[in-house]
Amino acid sequence: MTSKPSVIIFGGLNTISRALVALLVPLDAEPLVSHLRIVDKFSVVPATTYIGAEFPKILDNPLVEYRQANLTVPAVVASCFEPPEGQAPYDYVFDYTGEVRNDRTEMIQINTTLNISRLIGLEAAKHKVKAFVRIQLPFYDTGSSSKSQHTEKDDIKPVNTIGIWWHETLRVLAAIEGLNLVILRTGFVYGPYTNYGIITSGITVASVYGYLKKPMKSMWSPGKNPNNTVNVADVAGAAWACAEWIGPLGRTEANVLAGEEILFHNDKKKVREVEGMPPHDQKLIAPLFNLLTGDHVEEINEHHVSGWTEMITTSKPPIPNTPLSAYMDSFALAKHVLAYNNTKIKEVIGYNLKKPFFNHEAIKEVIDKWKEEGSWPNLD
């Protein structure tokens, strides 16, 4: 058997999984994998979602396979675990799936977040994959308690329908027997080629204030609402570190070292209605790690979509098509309080952040990548 693992990445093409692809099969370095299969609902040729300038080049590597698939169908999920001829069974699975639009109904969240992840988890357990890493985006509110940071042991509240069902997905996965699960709970994500999330919206809106030569306004008092961020490169690096950690250990030992109870935050009546949902009083333990930078950022108000339109049309050259927008939906405009503590992942996994600060240099790196691919206005 090859010394390099074979990997499947499910979902996240429209959010942050492309950063993991870039880590595993870099354009200018030795690949970390023997084979990489990427599975999502989108087309990549032609692209039906923003995929950045580098991702199509990585797809040219013969080690990489992209598969467009409807993951709500059990037989389709099962087929994704069948390796190419001559290739060993898959070792690691990374689950980036889940509906990220805050306006989706409960039924959509159940079908496209909980159900898809459950189907993938069941199949992964059946195939005895060595590691199953679930990426948990920050649909939580740590509240205004006296604690400045919250560890993995703290009971934090999921936000809205999206948060309730993303959280319930963790309980469903934790209940799957034989699944070598690790949960990676992130701060608000940002990074190169990442057009998803409130941080990207904030960066875009901040540029509008600069263009209009007006002071940036905040809807919330500065310093009172901490929001942890994390670069997508660190989500990728930490996800890989988690897989490498649990691979030789297995779930039982991993639970001993890093297991936390995944508490119930749902309607008890739903247990009878939703397939695969564990009883509300079932104690479910799974390895869980927080991931964030050491800095905080503030939410910003935005009513200057017209300013962004002017910026991209007066750019030299003009930017007729960009995945970025100065529009912020109700979720982005709402008050968020997210304050995690990430000591555990450093001590247990040994992962240290590659991008430890959300600062001028971090934002410049993001914008420079967008400028290179023609997605960000050049107003110099």
Side-chain angles (χ1 to χ4, degrees):
M1 181 177 176
T2 179
S3 59
K4 293 182 179 180
S6 55
V7 172
I8 313 179
I9 301 174
F10 286 97
L13 193 68
N14 60 325
T15 56
I16 61 173
S17 67
R18 285 176 281 113
L20 179 58
V21 175
L23 172 69
L24 301 185
V25 188
L27 291 173
D28 55 357
E30 184 74 15
L32 300 180
V33 297
S34 61
H35 172 70
L36 173 61
R37 175 176 287 169
I38 308 159
V39 186
D40 211 329
K41 65 182 179 181
F42 302 100
S43 166
V44 293
V45 182
T48 54
T49 188
Y50 170 71
I51 57 175
E54 291 184 0
F55 184 72
K57 300 174 185 177
I58 298 174
L59 292 181
D60 291 335
N61 190 310
L63 295 181
V64 180
E65 173 198 350
Y66 182 81
R67 179 177 294 195
Q68 184 179 8
N70 180 358
L71 294 173
T72 64
V73 180
V76 172
V77 174
S79 70
C80 291
F81 281 80
E82 298 171 4
E85 186 175 353
Q87 175 70 46
Y90 288 101
D91 299 296
Y92 299 162
V93 172
F94 295 89
D95 181 8
Y96 283 76
T97 63
E99 176 56 62
V100 294
R101 283 186 53 172
N102 188 58
D103 60 350
R104 296 305 197 194
T105 64
E106 180 178 70
M107 186 56 64
I108 291 175
Q109 284 294 343
I110 292 170
N111 289 337
T112 60
T113 300
L114 184 144
N115 186 52
I116 286 178
S117 188
R118 174 177 171 268
L119 291 175
I120 297 169
L122 288 169
E123 202 64 32
K126 177 182 176 182
H127 286 264
K128 296 180 171 58
V129 300
K130 297 176 182 177
F132 185 98
V133 181
R134 169 67 182 178
I135 306 301
Q136 184 74 358
L137 295 175
F139 302 120
Y140 292 97
D141 189 337
T142 56
S144 55
S145 71
S146 58
K147 294 192 67 170
S148 59
Q149 292 184 325
H150 293 257
T151 72
E152 291 83 352
K153 293 187 180 301
D154 293 324
D155 183 16
I156 58 176
K157 180 184 176 182
V159 175
N160 302 334
T161 300
I162 190 171
I164 289 171
W165 288 104
W166 271 71
H167 180 80
E168 188 61 39
T169 297
L170 302 184
R171 298 186 74 252
V172 167
L173 291 173
I176 296 176
E177 186 175 352
L179 182 64
N180 290 319
L181 170 68
V182 182
I183 300 164
L184 187 60
R185 193 166 63 183
T186 76
F188 289 109
V189 295
Y190 74 96
Y193 306 118
T194 304
N195 66 324
Y196 163 76
I198 66 173
I199 303 303
T200 297
S201 298
I203 293 171
T204 307
V205 170
S207 73
V208 175
Y209 279 102
Y211 174 76
L212 296 173
K213 295 181 171 57
K214 293 183 178 181
M216 186 182 297
K217 299 176 182 178
S218 174
M219 292 183 70
W220 317 108
S221 301
K224 293 185 177 181
N225 301 303
N227 283 308
N228 293 136
T229 62
V230 64
N231 193 290
V232 294
D234 278 310
V235 179
W240 182 248
C242 286
E244 295 274 78
W245 171 74
I246 197 174
L249 291 178
R251 174 73 175 277
T252 301
E253 189 173 348
N255 275 355
V256 172
L257 295 173
E260 306 291 353
E261 184 175 2
I262 312 300
L263 297 170
F264 187 77
H265 282 286
N266 212 317
D267 183 346
K268 295 178 183 178
K269 293 183 293 185
K270 297 294 180 183
V271 174
R272 296 190 300 271
E273 301 172 4
V274 178
E275 184 178 2
M277 190 169 166
H280 75 278
D281 56 354
Q282 183 176 345
K283 187 174 183 178
L284 297 165
I285 306 293
L288 169 66
F289 296 97
N290 292 335
L291 185 69
L292 56 128
T293 63
D295 286 1
H296 300 149
V297 296
E298 294 299 324
E299 300 276 343
I300 57 176
N301 192 8
E302 182 277 324
H303 293 292
H304 295 98
V305 174
S306 60
W308 177 247
T309 301
E310 183 178 335
M311 289 169 66
I312 60 177
T313 54
T314 58
S315 171
K316 300 173 184 178
I319 309 294
N321 298 299
T322 176
L324 306 170
S325 172
Y327 172 78
M328 301 178 82
D329 62 17
S330 58
F331 181 82
L333 287 169
K335 182 177 75 172
H336 298 287
V337 182
L338 189 75
Y340 290 156
N341 179 299
N342 67 349
T343 301
K344 183 179 174 183
I345 196 169
K346 296 176 183 177
E347 293 181 347
V348 178
I349 300 289
Y351 183 77
N352 292 307
L353 295 166
K354 302 171 186 175
K355 308 282 185 180
F357 302 108
F358 182 74
N359 54 18
H360 174 81
E361 288 74 21
I363 295 172
K364 185 177 184 300
E365 179 193 21
V366 173
I367 293 175
D368 285 347
K369 293 286 188 180
W370 280 328
K371 281 186 174 181
E372 287 175 15
E373 69 173 15
S375 295
W376 189 273
N378 185 356
L379 302 172
D380 297 334

